[in-house]
């Protein structure tokens, strides 16, 4: 569609541009949403965002490489005899490690943010609540970038949108369902729901669970509308569908364990209170 755009004579990737807009949008919203929360130190918000972004970039590329590891083997096998310079090796490296998978970025962002919180002894529950509405806001903008860049494209669809300039040549020339825009819209809806819960102080300390469960469902079903093969497969499921199932089950187990822990704590408090009387 529009993989690149020129601003003041400088050519920019539209995906990178939309991702940057998403990053600053989530930082601004996080800052505004936490202004009246005395229990949250706003000075940490931009630092957590940067730590999360660093983890996102690393994690997304690592999982992207793992999913398409066969590309590395094939690329080295097919091109090894033609690589005669350091620049040739860099080109191959960029090709193999240039792909990204969002789930890798999500878990990388969580690890990056958690690392910062642990280093400064911050409350995970407080700051992950903020992160829970920041992630879908950022991702909503990033998916628009996917649409403009022509990646993560949808299945062939009679009344779809025809790509002409996608770097993935198999995406071009046929009408495709705009699955990127569908996911973007659902991400913005999810953002609106979670920030409303946050502002009303509902489900405090559990909003990241709300996000993970909701996104797992969204991603599992919209993968059926994806037409690109580069996302990898685990049996009949795409890689992201497989991770969605694991994520959903893991969160349910964590919620059940936390609920059981709270019930045990309440019973112990009741017993202690009765003994004191």
């Amino acid at each position: 569609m529009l993989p690149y755009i020129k601003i003041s004579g400088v050519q920019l990737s539209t995906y990178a541009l939309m991702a940057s807009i998403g990053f600053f949008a989530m930082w601004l919203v996080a800052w505004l949403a936490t202004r009246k929360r005395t229990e949250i130190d706003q000075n940490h918000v931009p630092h957590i965002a940067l730590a999360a972004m660093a983890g996102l970039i690393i994690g997304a590329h690592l999982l992207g490489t793992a999913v398409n590891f066969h590309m590395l083997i094939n690329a080295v096998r097919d091109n090894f005899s033609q690589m005669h310079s350091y620049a040739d090796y860099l080109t191959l490296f960029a090709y193999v490690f240039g792909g990204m998978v969002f789930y890798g970025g999500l878990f990388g962002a969580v690890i990056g943010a958690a690392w910062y919180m642990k280093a400064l002894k911050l409350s995970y529950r407080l700051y992950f609540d903020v992160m829970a509405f920041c992630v879908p806001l950022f991702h909503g903008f990033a998916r628009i970038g996917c649409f403009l860049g022509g990646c993560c494209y949808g299945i062939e669809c009679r009344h779809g949108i025809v790509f002409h300039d996608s770097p993935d040549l198999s995406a071009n020339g046929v009408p495709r369902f705009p699955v990127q825009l569908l996911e973007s819209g659902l991400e913005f809806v999810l953002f609106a729901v979670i920030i409303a819960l946050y502002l009303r102080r509902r489900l405090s300390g559990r909003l990241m669970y709300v996000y993970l469960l909701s996104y797992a469902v969204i991603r599992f079903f919209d993968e059926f509308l994806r037409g690109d093969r580069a996302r990898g497969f685990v049996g009949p499921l795409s890689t992201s569908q497989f991770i969605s199932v694991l994520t959903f089950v893991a969160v349910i187990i964590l919620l059940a364990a936390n609920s059981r822990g709270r019930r045990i704590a309440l019973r112990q408090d009741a017993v202690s209170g009765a003994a004191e009387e």
Side-chain angles (χ1 to χ4, degrees):
M1 296 297 289
L2 188 64
Y4 299 97
I5 187 173
K6 280 192 175 182
I7 299 178
S8 299
V10 179
Q11 181 172 277
L12 299 174
S13 162
T14 49
Y15 177 83
L17 179 62
M18 294 306 302
S20 298
I21 292 173
F23 176 80
F24 286 108
M26 76 171 189
W27 175 82
L28 178 60
V29 170
W31 184 80
L32 292 172
T34 57
R35 281 188 305 170
K36 297 182 179 180
R37 291 291 183 95
T38 56
E39 68 273 27
I40 290 181
D41 186 343
Q42 283 194 306
N43 292 323
H44 292 301
V45 172
H47 300 146
I48 291 174
L50 289 172
M53 185 58 62
L56 184 150
I57 293 171
I58 295 171
H61 281 293
L62 287 177
L63 185 55
T65 301
V67 167
N68 295 299
F69 187 72
H70 63 283
M71 291 170 53
L72 172 61
I73 303 301
N74 294 337
V76 171
R77 181 194 62 198
D78 297 340
N79 299 287
F80 186 79
S81 62
Q82 303 175 23
M83 292 186 289
H84 305 293
S85 67
Y86 184 66
D88 292 335
Y89 285 100
L90 286 180
T91 300
L92 178 62
F93 183 89
Y95 171 73
V96 173
F97 294 94
M100 294 190 291
V101 173
F102 175 73
Y103 263 123
L106 172 60
F107 297 137
V110 169
I111 292 171
W115 172 81
Y116 181 89
M117 295 175 204
K118 182 178 180 180
L120 277 76
K121 299 180 180 179
L122 303 177
S123 168
Y124 293 114
R125 294 169 65 88
L126 286 177
Y127 290 93
F128 272 131
D129 272 358
V130 178
M131 194 171 175
F133 61 77
C134 285
V135 173
L137 178 61
F138 166 80
H139 200 192
F141 282 102
R143 277 299 186 220
I144 295 175
C146 289
F147 174 75
L148 293 174
C151 65
C152 308
Y153 52 85
I155 58 175
E156 292 187 28
C157 175
R158 182 178 179 183
H159 300 292
I161 296 174
V162 180
F163 291 85
H164 297 289
D165 301 311
S166 172
D168 188 338
L169 299 180
S170 61
N172 297 323
V174 295
R176 294 188 175 278
F177 183 82
V179 65
Q180 309 98 320
L181 298 183
L182 171 64
E183 185 169 337
S184 175
L186 292 173
E187 291 279 10
F188 287 134
V189 170
L190 184 54
F191 157 73
V193 170
I194 295 178
I195 197 171
L197 291 172
Y198 179 83
L199 294 175
R200 296 177 183 179
R201 296 178 182 267
R202 302 285 180 84
L203 299 177
S204 295
R206 289 172 286 175
L207 292 181
M208 182 56 79
Y209 292 141
V210 173
Y211 166 73
L212 290 172
L213 288 173
S214 301
Y215 182 70
V217 173
I218 290 171
R219 187 60 182 267
F220 183 86
F221 286 104
D222 78 14
E223 281 285 305
F224 289 113
L225 300 173
R226 289 276 292 267
D228 56 317
R229 302 289 299 180
R231 64 194 189 279
F233 287 85
V234 179
L237 301 177
S238 72
T239 302
S240 291
Q241 285 178 318
F242 181 72
I243 296 175
S244 292
V245 172
L246 292 181
T247 301
F248 191 91
V249 172
V251 172
I252 292 298
I253 291 173
L254 284 173
L255 285 171
N258 289 342
S259 178
R260 182 173 181 274
R262 284 195 295 271
R263 289 197 301 270
I264 292 174
L266 287 174
R267 285 199 297 267
Q268 290 175 341
D269 290 342
V271 171
S272 299
E276 290 176 0
E277 292 178 0

